[in-house]
Amino acid sequence: MSQFVIPNRIFDPAAECMPCADRAGLQATHLRRTVEQAQKIPFYRRKFAEKNISPDSIRTVADLQRLPLTTKQDLREYYPFGFFAVPQAQLARIHASSGTTGKPTFVGYTQNDLKLWANLCARFLVAGGLTSDQLVQVSFGYGLFTGGFGLHGGIERVGAAVLPASSGNTQRQILLLRDAGINTLICTPSYALNLAETIQAMGIRRGELALRFAHFGGEPWTEEMRRTIEEELGIHAFNNYGLSEIIGPGVAGECAARTGMHIQEDHFLVECLNPETLEPVADGEEGELVITSLTKEACPIIRYRTRDLARLYRDSCPCGRTTMRMSWVKGRSDDMMIIRGVNVFPTQIEEALLKVDGTAPHFMIELTRPGNLDEAVVKVEMRQQEFSDKMEEMHRLRDRIGREITAITGLHFNVELVAPNTLERFTGKAKRVNDLRNLKP
Ligand code: DLL
């Protein structure tokens, strides 16, 4: 069998397969320019002055270590446009990431930034099977969220046809998929699952759909979830990663060999740091991704702490790209639950559930602290065909799920089985945790 699930295609071979030494030279030049551009932002001007950093003092990529870190909190303090490095007249677009605190974080793009963004999205789309003769449905929200417009630009750059369905109205989404003969679907993985279920509920057979490929991103998910969605929809699904503060989707994406997500290293420097000590971790070890943009004009960003936990791999990939790869993201450190002192991520619960037949990967974790001890309940939806009124069968299933969760997390969760279609469905990013413990400091 071939080592590739689909033909190995490369959108920009000169950039993506560049010898590493050549790329390092390019990165150093671009890092110097980025520092120059970032000097226009008061936050960086002050930080550079404190650390005696000037563009001329940047000679190699190793100089990155001397540069200051940037946090989401820093961006918030300069709300709304304090991190923009160009005058308003040069802006071509503004997006925003929704904050948990209410105020969004704005990110700006110049015309060049938009061109770059489309190219970066085109790279991972082509790596995951997109060709110019395909029809693509984008079911990400079009609006301030970077998913819709970002992917839209990439699809147009490849020359494929785009159907900008945007998010919501699931039944209509499915009619569009079927009646327009859509080949490629773009959305969050949790929404894909929602679509798969609704397709079944509407009595639409797989043969009525022309769907073959999908590009999912925007939220953490697992290989187990990929297998489930691929089986249910009969497609090849690829993972892509990005965040608004860096550019949106397009920071990294999988190739046909599926050995991790290739990082677009000619445009971003990605470090993996121990979140406590802020020291780099070894290749292959888990840490927080810290990202520096190398070529952005409107919002250059230096050593941004993403809070996303992942691993980096530098060994070669059979696809021929020479870029470093990142693993799937385990979760954001913000989503990490600390239950009785143990760190747990929603992706670990997803992984456990998908090991047990009969459950649907719809779940909601509820955390309480009735006395001094945390209690964790996970509500798990059953599949219709496995839903039974035989108590004994249900108890066996519940215990099996409990054991899988304990095997992965080391913790006991009270498992509650709930009837099919009773948990909330999401059209964008899924919410998996309801923390009722009142842990605010
Ligand atoms: O979610 C950008 C995006 C849109 C990426 C569509 C891919 C596809 P934000 O709304 O700023 O931007 O959220 C960024 O989402 O820090 C991760 O925690 C999470 N995330 C994005 N892609 C993945 C992924 C967009 N493939 C935050 N796996 C990031 C895991 C992801 N987490």
Side-chain angles (χ1 to χ4, degrees):
M1 209 177 82
S2 148
Q3 59 195 336
F4 297 107
V5 287
I6 55 159
N8 180 32
R9 294 200 185 86
I10 302 181
F11 180 73
D12 186 351
E16 296 176 69
C17 306
M18 184 184 289
C20 292
D22 294 358
R23 188 180 291 120
L26 196 75
Q27 287 172 326
T29 308
H30 284 151
L31 184 61
R32 193 158 46 242
R33 276 197 214 135
T34 293
V35 167
E36 204 174 308
Q37 181 74 349
Q39 277 183 329
K40 299 176 187 159
I41 299 170
F43 171 84
Y44 288 125
R45 208 165 41 239
R46 184 167 48 81
K47 292 272 181 181
F48 292 164
E50 279 165 20
K51 295 183 159 218
N52 233 339
I53 290 162
S54 67
D56 290 344
S57 68
I58 305 293
R59 302 197 180 279
T60 70
V61 175
D63 290 315
L64 183 66
Q65 304 294 326
R66 295 169 36 226
L67 298 181
L69 292 158
T70 312
T71 64
K72 179 94 176 171
Q73 190 51 32
D74 296 328
L75 301 183
R76 284 210 185 102
E77 273 169 29
Y78 287 81
Y79 178 85
F81 295 155
F83 267 82
F84 284 22
V86 297
Q88 196 169 318
Q90 284 174 34
L91 288 176
R93 174 102 62 81
I94 293 173
H95 281 281
S97 76
S98 52
T100 36
T101 55
K103 272 190 196 165
T105 304
F106 288 113
V107 284
Y109 301 76
T110 63
Q111 285 294 352
N112 284 336
D113 292 335
L114 289 180
K115 268 188 222 140
L116 165 68
W117 194 15
N119 278 323
L120 296 177
C121 288
R123 286 190 193 175
F124 77 73
L125 288 167
V126 167
L130 187 65
T131 48
S132 60
D133 53 356
Q134 289 177 26
L135 213 52
V136 188
Q137 182 159 324
V138 178
S139 304
F140 276 133
Y142 278 66
L144 290 177
F145 178 51
T146 52
F149 280 103
L151 267 302
H152 187 104
I155 297 161
E156 289 190 335
R157 182 72 184 84
V158 177
V162 54
L163 197 137
S166 199
S167 61
N169 200 341
T170 304
Q171 299 217 348
R172 184 163 155 272
Q173 296 269 357
I174 291 166
L175 291 183
L176 294 176
L177 274 179
R178 185 188 63 184
D179 298 348
I182 297 292
N183 319 112
T184 300
L185 170 68
I186 290 184
C187 58
T188 54
S190 55
Y191 191 53
L193 198 68
N194 188 345
L195 284 168
E197 262 179 4
T198 315
I199 287 171
Q200 256 201 353
M202 288 167 76
I204 294 177
R205 283 171 294 107
R206 204 193 271 181
E208 293 177 63
L209 303 176
L211 209 52
R212 280 194 59 212
F213 300 106
H215 296 271
F216 300 137
E219 65 181 1
W221 57 313
T222 56
E223 283 281 9
E224 287 76 12
M225 179 76 129
R226 160 148 71 189
R227 266 196 297 278
T228 304
I229 301 173
E230 286 190 329
E231 272 167 29
E232 298 207 352
L233 289 174
I235 55 169
H236 297 294
F238 292 87
N239 192 4
N240 71 88
Y241 168 84
L243 57 166
S244 328
E245 293 84 354
I246 304 302
I247 198 160
V251 175
E254 276 184 312
C255 70
R258 300 181 170 200
T259 55
M261 293 185 269
H262 286 275
I263 295 172
Q264 317 278 14
E265 276 193 281
D266 45 343
H267 298 281
F268 307 104
L269 285 176
V270 178
E271 303 166 81
C272 191
L273 306 184
N274 175 317
E276 249 106 72
T277 63
L278 297 175
E279 290 298 318
V281 301
D283 284 352
E285 272 181 30
E286 187 177 283
E288 176 181 339
L289 301 182
V290 172
I291 309 183
T292 302
S293 72
L294 288 172
T295 49
K296 276 206 311 173
E297 294 177 344
C299 288
I301 188 141
I302 291 177
R303 302 190 82 201
Y304 183 66
R305 291 194 61 179
T306 64
R307 310 217 158 259
D308 290 326
L309 298 175
R311 300 158 197 270
L312 297 180
Y313 306 109
R314 278 171 231 266
D315 55 326
S316 66
C317 178
C319 73
R321 287 176 184 80
T322 49
T323 42
M324 177 164 77
R325 303 180 315 281
M326 60 180 272
S327 68
W328 287 42
V329 176
K330 185 169 179 190
R332 292 175 70 82
S333 50
D334 317 8
D335 296 337
M336 184 179 83
M337 303 168 276
I338 305 180
I339 304 172
R340 282 170 248 139
V342 180
N343 300 347
V344 185
F345 286 89
T347 45
Q348 294 176 294
I349 306 297
E350 180 178 296
E351 188 186 333
L353 292 185
L354 286 164
K355 292 199 159 135
V356 183
D357 286 340
T359 60
H362 295 293
F363 62 96
M364 184 53 127
I365 301 162
E366 213 169 83
L367 302 176
T368 53
R369 186 174 281 177
N372 291 322
L373 263 192
D374 296 329
E375 285 220 358
V377 174
V378 57
K379 295 188 176 161
V380 180
E381 225 181 78
M382 308 279 315
R383 284 186 191 279
Q384 190 67 53
Q385 57 274 30
E386 317 282 338
F387 194 50
S388 145
D389 50 12
K390 292 203 189 95
M391 287 283 270
E392 205 179 303
E393 273 174 28
M394 293 294 93
H395 284 166
R396 227 179 293 134
L397 187 63
R398 190 193 59 194
D399 295 346
R400 178 87 219 278
I401 295 171
R403 280 199 302 278
E404 288 293 349
I405 293 179
T406 306
I408 291 177
T409 65
L411 278 176
H412 171 74
F413 273 69
N414 294 320
V415 178
E416 261 180 39
L417 298 179
V418 302
N421 286 313
T422 47
L423 293 181
E424 186 181 348
R425 298 294 191 263
F426 303 92
T427 56
K429 299 179 190 236
K431 180 177 183 300
R432 302 288 191 202
V433 184
N434 190 9
D435 193 339
L436 304 167
R437 291 177 297 179
N438 251 333
L439 292 183
K440 297 268 169 316

